[in-house]
Amino acid sequence: MEATTTYLRHDMDALVDAFAAREPAGLEGAYALWSRELYAVARSALRDGALAEDCVHDALLRVWRAPNRFEGNRPMLRAYLLASVRNEAIAMLRSRSRRDERERKARRLAEAPVDADSVADPVEAARVRDALGRLSQDQRTALEAAFYGYKTHVEIAAALGVPLGTIKSRIASAMRKLSVELAPPESGR
Amino acid sequence: MTGEHLGDEAELFALGALEDAERSAAARHVALCAACRERVAAAELVMASLAAAVPAAEPPASIGRRLRASARGGRPRNAGPFALAATVALAFVGLGSQTLLLSNREAAEDRALATIVSSHFNHVSAVARGDSGVSAKVLYARDGAWIFVIARTHESGTLHAFARTPTADVDLGALATSGETASLLVRPAKPIGTVVIKRGDTEVATATLNY
């Protein structure tokens, strides 16, 4: 499932260099490696195959044409691309929901799809489930509403009846705790 | 905002959980502040893990085609191997001019293309090694029944494709050269995970196949 593990280090460096240099091979190589994850993120947010396709295409093309924050964090290209697709999906969701306020109100607060039959990466999903289980219930609820529910902190605070600052700190502290617990194999670079 | 660090907003920015105005301000700060960029990047690594739990979904092949066309200026036609890959792809949507191109290929390639056209396949660009000057692509059946290696090179010297196994690189055969491009159709006994292209003993490109 995780294609990067079968890639030799210098292959990855060549790919990352090609991506940063805006060579078509960098974009194509990155997409070939991570297409399933990138698409799953967009599909999960947008729940529509055609929108998800546009989302992945537009997001990757944009960051490939203008890689900016990514320059200093080359080993993290995958995470950056996933975040870029997710941001694009969120922008699409919010512009759609502005057009249809009722739909927005009808949507549930958060839905952590960790019980889905088939997840994008079952091994990593199990680690994530364990790590989420070690957060406080308040932290977990707030973080899941943000990550899996695509809500802003204002929306989450309103839904839970909790002050804005409290929600911000719950989400941020949950993320920092997960960052330690989920320290990825590539950390330390 | 641009004068002080983001604090908790770094994680919220990464998550897309800020409101529009806050988000713009945070983006301006992140563009200028290395410390906050690092914090956002750390959050993105966590998010990459969280993303493992979203439902699996098979991406349509059209995304890869669109990306390639966009990256190469909207008309994937100039580079030899990519033109061939694009030809195969476009043949599926029934463009008459592309179908004509197919009929001009040599016999070996005709057989390869007949195999490809009658099956579902994935494709991946090989990562070139150093300054080998070789661009290559591997089309492969989703069930692993065949792989089609296409390479473009400006240098002489026969290219061979190898299947990388834990113990050795297994020679799959020489790529047949025709002008600037060379290609090889292989029907392996079991699916191949990594294809390595070599000129002599020198590795010039590598591709990882996902089934």
Side-chain angles (χ1 to χ4, degrees), chain A residues 18-94:
Chain A
F19 190 94
R22 304 177 195 182
E23 292 167 14
L27 177 63
E28 291 167 17
Y31 180 72
L33 263 183
W34 301 311
S35 59
R36 283 181 177 76
E37 304 164 77
L38 294 165
Y39 182 72
V41 163
R43 181 77 177 70
S44 161
L46 297 164
R47 300 178 184 214
D48 178 291
L51 287 176
E53 172 170 345
D54 286 347
C55 172
V56 172
H57 172 268
D58 294 356
L60 291 190
L61 202 61
R62 179 173 306 138
V63 296
W64 172 73
R65 281 179 172 154
N68 40 41
R69 280 197 293 114
F70 158 67
E71 286 164 15
N73 293 288
R74 293 183 169 195
M76 308 212 284
L77 178 59
R78 169 173 168 266
Y80 179 56
L81 295 182
L82 284 167
S84 300
V85 166
R86 178 187 154 85
N87 286 338
E88 184 80 19
I90 287 176
M92 290 168 75
L93 271 181
R94 290 187 184 152

Side-chain angles (χ1 to χ4, degrees), chain B:
Chain B
M1 175 66 72
T2 49
E4 53 192 77
H5 291 309
L6 291 181
D8 287 348
E9 291 202 351
E11 283 80 16
L12 276 81
F13 174 72
L15 285 162
L18 293 175
E19 295 289 321
D20 287 347
E22 298 170 313
R23 175 170 188 78
S24 309
R28 281 196 298 277
H29 176 81
V30 166
L32 299 171
C33 175
C36 286
R37 271 204 298 280
E38 223 167 86
R39 197 161 156 174
V40 169
E44 286 175 349
L45 276 180
V46 172
M47 291 161 58
S49 291
L50 293 173
V54 305
E58 185 66 23
S62 45
I63 300 180
R65 284 201 296 272
R66 286 175 60 191
L67 276 174
R68 188 169 47 257
S70 301
R72 293 174 188 275
R75 32 160 194 62
R77 62 164 178 78
N78 48 347
F82 301 107
L84 176 54
T87 298
V88 173
L90 288 170
F92 286 119
V93 298
L95 297 184
S97 58
Q98 301 296 338
T99 311
L100 276 179
L101 269 176
L102 284 177
S103 66
N104 290 334
R105 292 281 164 182
E106 293 179 350
E109 281 183 348
D110 279 346
R111 280 200 301 279
L113 292 171
T115 302
I116 292 164
V117 166
S118 58
S119 50
H120 296 290
F121 66 91
N122 296 336
H123 56 88
V124 59
S125 296
V127 178
R129 195 56 67 79
D131 55 359
S132 64
V134 171
S135 348
K137 188 161 277 241
V138 179
L139 312 187
Y140 56 104
R142 287 184 190 167
D143 61 4
W146 55 263
I147 69 166
F148 186 48
V149 182
I150 318 157
R152 184 191 200 197
T153 177
H154 300 292
E155 293 177 29
S156 59
T158 306
L159 296 172
H160 276 247
F162 291 79
R164 177 147 290 168
T165 72
T167 48
D169 290 343
V170 179
D171 195 345
L172 301 169
L175 276 64
T177 304
S178 143
E180 276 182 12
T181 64
S183 62
L184 174 68
L185 179 73
V186 181
R187 296 173 192 280
K190 57 178 189 174
I192 294 172
T194 301
V195 174
V196 180
I197 299 170
K198 299 185 186 180
R199 180 184 286 118
D201 291 326
T202 309
E203 220 171 293
V204 294
T206 313
T208 302
L209 283 46
N210 286 308
Y211 297 98

Side-chain angles (χ1 to χ4, degrees), chain A residues 135-174:
Chain A
L135 298 176
S136 76
Q137 189 56 54
D138 283 345
Q139 286 178 328
R140 179 174 181 162
T141 302
L143 177 60
E144 288 185 346
F147 187 82
Y148 297 111
Y150 310 97
K151 302 297 182 203
T152 68
H153 68 104
V154 173
E155 292 169 323
I156 298 166
L160 296 176
V162 174
L164 290 182
T166 306
I167 285 298
K168 276 189 186 178
S169 87
R170 281 181 190 172
I171 293 173
S173 57

